[in-house]
Amino acid sequence: MKRLIIAGATVLLAALPLFAEAGAIDRLHRFLAGTKTLKAEFAQLVIAKGGRQPQPSSGLVSIARPGKLRWEIRKPYPQLMIGDGEKIWIYDSELQQVTVRRVDQAIGGSPAALLAGSNDLERNFTLSEAGERDGLSWVDAVPKAGDSGFEQVRIGFAGDDLKAMELHDSFGQITQIRFSALERNPALPAATFRFVPPEGVDVVGE
């Protein structure tokens, strides 16, 4: 159960607003050019292949582009992922373990690139309009790299407001994320994206 929630958290790793209306790609680039920071609450549901019971979680996400992000799951199991611009730190307090990777390895063509990457999305993704569903306008982002671990990232909007994201991974698992209380360009303290491994925890990676 917990592994599903953690897997969802690591992808999230999240996405910047896309628009499934006419001229969606142009509007996307204009939005990216004007968005430096982002803060929101999220509710996440991980749906495993095979019909196992979906696993819910919730928390807060903060972003400072390019390369900095904080994805904090608060319920039901605390977990923290921080990208400080150079490394991605994933801290599981219950396991007393930290996994660390370089940002270029962890973001690149992953769903996190839509959230905290550069404006050059077409370098890593093929973007297309995906129509209307559940009262939202959707855009698909398909990674160009074959080893990204994801087949598709789908992002939903109500008007110009980011509301949802769906991650379809290579194992048939779907992670559904719903955003609320989203703030664009808030002032975020530098400490938001700083991580120091607690004393005594195992550090795996670099």
Side-chain angles (χ1 to χ4, degrees), residues 91 96 98 196-203:
Y91 174 45
Q96 288 293 289
V98 175
V196 177
E199 186 176 352
V201 303
D202 293 328
V203 178

Short mmCIF file of all heavy atoms in Angstrom, two decimals, residues 91 96 98 196-203:
data_model
loop_
_atom_site.label_atom_id
_atom_site.label_comp_id
_atom_site.label_asym_id
_atom_site.label_seq_id
_atom_site.Cartn_x
_atom_site.Cartn_y
_atom_site.Cartn_z
N TYR A 91 12.88 11.83 0.99
CA TYR A 91 13.06 11.44 2.39
C TYR A 91 11.83 10.71 2.90
O TYR A 91 10.72 11.25 2.90
CB TYR A 91 13.32 12.68 3.25
CG TYR A 91 13.37 12.42 4.73
CD1 TYR A 91 14.09 11.33 5.25
CD2 TYR A 91 12.71 13.25 5.63
CE1 TYR A 91 14.14 11.09 6.61
CE2 TYR A 91 12.77 13.02 7.00
CZ TYR A 91 13.48 11.93 7.48
OH TYR A 91 13.52 11.69 8.83
N GLN A 96 13.44 5.89 7.56
CA GLN A 96 14.69 6.55 7.92
C GLN A 96 15.71 6.42 6.78
O GLN A 96 16.86 6.04 6.97
CB GLN A 96 15.25 5.96 9.22
CG GLN A 96 14.47 6.35 10.46
CD GLN A 96 14.62 7.85 10.75
OE1 GLN A 96 15.67 8.31 11.16
NE2 GLN A 96 13.56 8.61 10.52
N VAL A 98 17.00 8.30 2.88
CA VAL A 98 17.00 9.38 1.90
C VAL A 98 17.59 8.85 0.59
O VAL A 98 18.66 8.24 0.59
CB VAL A 98 17.84 10.59 2.38
CG1 VAL A 98 17.91 11.65 1.28
CG2 VAL A 98 17.25 11.18 3.64
N VAL A 196 18.70 19.00 4.32
CA VAL A 196 19.87 18.43 4.99
C VAL A 196 19.43 17.11 5.61
O VAL A 196 18.50 17.09 6.43
CB VAL A 196 20.41 19.37 6.10
CG1 VAL A 196 21.57 18.71 6.82
CG2 VAL A 196 20.82 20.71 5.52
N PRO A 197 20.03 15.98 5.20
CA PRO A 197 19.60 14.70 5.74
C PRO A 197 19.69 14.67 7.27
O PRO A 197 20.71 15.06 7.83
CB PRO A 197 20.58 13.71 5.11
CG PRO A 197 21.05 14.38 3.85
CD PRO A 197 21.09 15.84 4.19
N PRO A 198 18.64 14.23 7.96
CA PRO A 198 18.68 14.14 9.40
C PRO A 198 19.78 13.17 9.86
O PRO A 198 20.12 12.22 9.15
CB PRO A 198 17.30 13.61 9.77
CG PRO A 198 16.43 13.98 8.61
CD PRO A 198 17.31 13.89 7.40
N GLU A 199 20.31 13.43 11.01
CA GLU A 199 21.36 12.58 11.55
C GLU A 199 20.85 11.15 11.74
O GLU A 199 19.76 10.94 12.25
CB GLU A 199 21.85 13.14 12.89
CG GLU A 199 23.05 12.40 13.47
CD GLU A 199 23.55 13.05 14.74
OE1 GLU A 199 23.05 14.16 15.07
OE2 GLU A 199 24.43 12.47 15.39
N GLY A 200 21.66 10.20 11.29
CA GLY A 200 21.33 8.80 11.50
C GLY A 200 20.56 8.11 10.40
O GLY A 200 20.39 6.89 10.43
N VAL A 201 20.10 8.87 9.37
CA VAL A 201 19.34 8.23 8.30
C VAL A 201 20.29 7.67 7.25
O VAL A 201 21.43 8.13 7.09
CB VAL A 201 18.36 9.22 7.64
CG1 VAL A 201 17.42 9.82 8.66
CG2 VAL A 201 19.10 10.29 6.87
N ASP A 202 19.83 6.65 6.53
CA ASP A 202 20.61 6.08 5.43
C ASP A 202 20.42 6.93 4.19
O ASP A 202 19.30 7.30 3.84
CB ASP A 202 20.14 4.66 5.13
CG ASP A 202 20.44 3.69 6.26
OD1 ASP A 202 21.47 3.89 6.95
OD2 ASP A 202 19.65 2.75 6.46
N VAL A 203 21.54 7.28 3.51
CA VAL A 203 21.49 8.05 2.30
C VAL A 203 21.88 7.14 1.15
O VAL A 203 23.00 6.60 1.12
CB VAL A 203 22.42 9.28 2.37
CG1 VAL A 203 22.38 10.05 1.06
CG2 VAL A 203 22.02 10.18 3.52
#
